[in-house]
Amino acid sequence: MCSSDLEKVAADNPTNLETRRDLSNAYVKVGEMWARHGNMKRAYKRFADSLTIQEQLFLAKPMDDGLQRELAEIYEQMASTKGKDAGALYAKALEIRTKRASAHPADPQLKRDLAAAYDRFAALTPADVPPEPLERSLEIRKSLAMASTPTPETQRDLSLAYKKTAAANLARGRLDRARELFEEHLELTKKRAAADPGSLQLQFQLSALYDSLGSVNRLSGHFEAAQKSFQQSLEIRTQLANANPAHLRPQDLRLPNVLLGNPMPQ
């Protein structure tokens, strides 16, 4: 049934909550279609139509967990169109997701959803990402990683959270915090690499983290520590080059040498 038909059914049955919920979902599908085609103005309008219904349904059944989830999602979908009220909409979604996660502390999926919501909020201004939402996301992902046996998914999510949060702090000139995050990320990656010694990707990540740590130390004036980190990066890349010559390019070795003040000959 298309949205126009559902509008008529909903108008004829104003007290039928399920019919109104179906209409709300239909508006969302139309909004998603417009968003895929790049028409954010029309997408926003349909998401707003859905929100009007969702807020009415939520007032009627405020303890309904499904309605809470759907309301958070529609706030985020409206915010994703990057309208002027995007920040306020993300804040409302975060409030709902925080309450849901607090009400169900044993549910890891709700925590993952909350962490992802913080990531989306931070990405609202990609040219100047604020560290605070990313710090909250990182905190949640660290708790998830410690709460149970680590899985590849939780380890990857935590690694990415460290990377984003360190970069945001570095961009704001918070060198001490960036260094702390790079060091924690490095320790995590060392453990992952030890558990999977055949992973070239993890070895490259280790090398890149030593480079990042060296850069932060150099910016902070800690030149000896910077040189040590760059040397460790170079050693890893040299080992990889010797063991896997087909997987490494000359420029992969050149970067640490340049930073060490010893550029490779062309």
Side-chain angles (χ1 to χ4, degrees):
M1 189 178 294
C2 66
S3 58
S4 58
D5 292 333
L6 284 170
E7 286 172 346
K8 185 177 185 304
V9 173
D12 292 339
N13 302 273
T15 61
N16 189 318
L17 298 183
E18 286 304 315
T19 299
R20 298 187 64 76
R21 198 170 189 172
D22 289 343
L23 177 58
S24 174
N25 292 333
Y27 283 140
V28 167
K29 290 179 181 179
V30 175
E32 290 172 342
M33 181 271 294
W34 284 120
R36 285 194 299 271
H37 285 80
N39 193 326
M40 295 305 173
K41 185 175 181 180
R42 288 193 173 186
Y44 182 95
K45 173 64 171 63
R46 282 312 185 189
F47 290 145
D49 289 338
S50 174
L51 177 61
T52 298
I53 297 172
Q54 287 296 138
E55 288 180 330
Q56 293 170 351
L57 294 173
F58 179 71
L59 288 174
K61 300 176 68 176
M63 302 307 294
D64 188 307
D65 190 67
L67 287 175
Q68 292 176 21
R69 174 181 53 78
E70 290 172 8
L71 185 57
E73 289 173 352
I74 192 61
Y75 279 136
E76 289 170 345
Q77 285 176 304
M78 286 183 68
S80 70
T81 65
K82 303 295 177 67
K84 293 181 179 180
D85 56 351
L89 290 166
Y90 271 130
K92 289 181 178 181
L94 276 170
E95 182 180 358
I96 294 172
R97 291 196 183 279
T98 300
K99 288 179 178 178
R100 292 186 71 219
S102 298
H104 305 280
D107 189 333
Q109 185 57 51
L110 292 179
K111 292 181 180 179
R112 283 192 287 269
D113 290 344
L114 179 57
Y118 276 117
D119 291 340
R120 287 189 289 270
F121 184 55
L124 188 60
T125 52
D128 185 24
V129 177
E132 290 76 15
L134 294 175
E135 293 277 7
R136 295 296 300 276
S137 174
L138 175 60
E139 181 183 339
I140 294 168
R141 296 191 189 282
K142 286 167 71 174
S143 70
L144 285 169
M146 292 186 295
S148 59
T149 302
T151 66
E153 180 184 9
T154 58
Q155 294 292 296
R156 283 194 301 269
D157 288 346
L158 181 55
S159 181
L160 183 58
Y162 269 121
K163 182 178 179 180
K164 289 180 178 179
T165 311
N169 277 282
L170 184 59
R172 294 292 181 96
R174 301 176 183 178
L175 300 183
D176 289 343
R177 179 56 177 159
R179 183 189 304 108
E180 180 182 12
L181 291 166
F182 282 131
E183 288 173 345
E184 290 181 9
H185 191 187
L186 180 62
E187 290 305 310
L188 170 68
T189 307
K190 283 181 180 179
K191 292 178 181 177
R192 294 180 65 199
D196 188 6
S199 172
L200 288 177
Q201 181 181 11
L202 288 174
Q203 291 299 318
F204 273 117
Q205 286 182 18
L206 272 177
S207 176
L209 282 167
Y210 277 120
D211 284 344
S212 297
L213 190 56
S215 296
V216 172
N217 280 320
R218 187 175 61 170
L219 289 170
S220 303
H222 301 146
F223 299 114
E224 289 186 8
Q227 186 176 31
K228 181 180 179 181
S229 293
F230 292 140
Q231 184 64 49
Q232 287 170 306
S233 173
L234 177 60
E235 289 173 1
I236 292 173
R237 296 192 190 202
T238 301
Q239 291 171 4
L240 288 173
N242 292 335
N244 306 276
H247 293 277
L248 217 67
R249 304 164 299 174
Q251 56 264 42
D252 291 327
L253 288 171
R254 190 173 300 137
L255 176 61
N257 275 272
V258 170
L259 295 173
L260 280 164
N262 180 29
M264 291 181 65
Q266 299 296 319

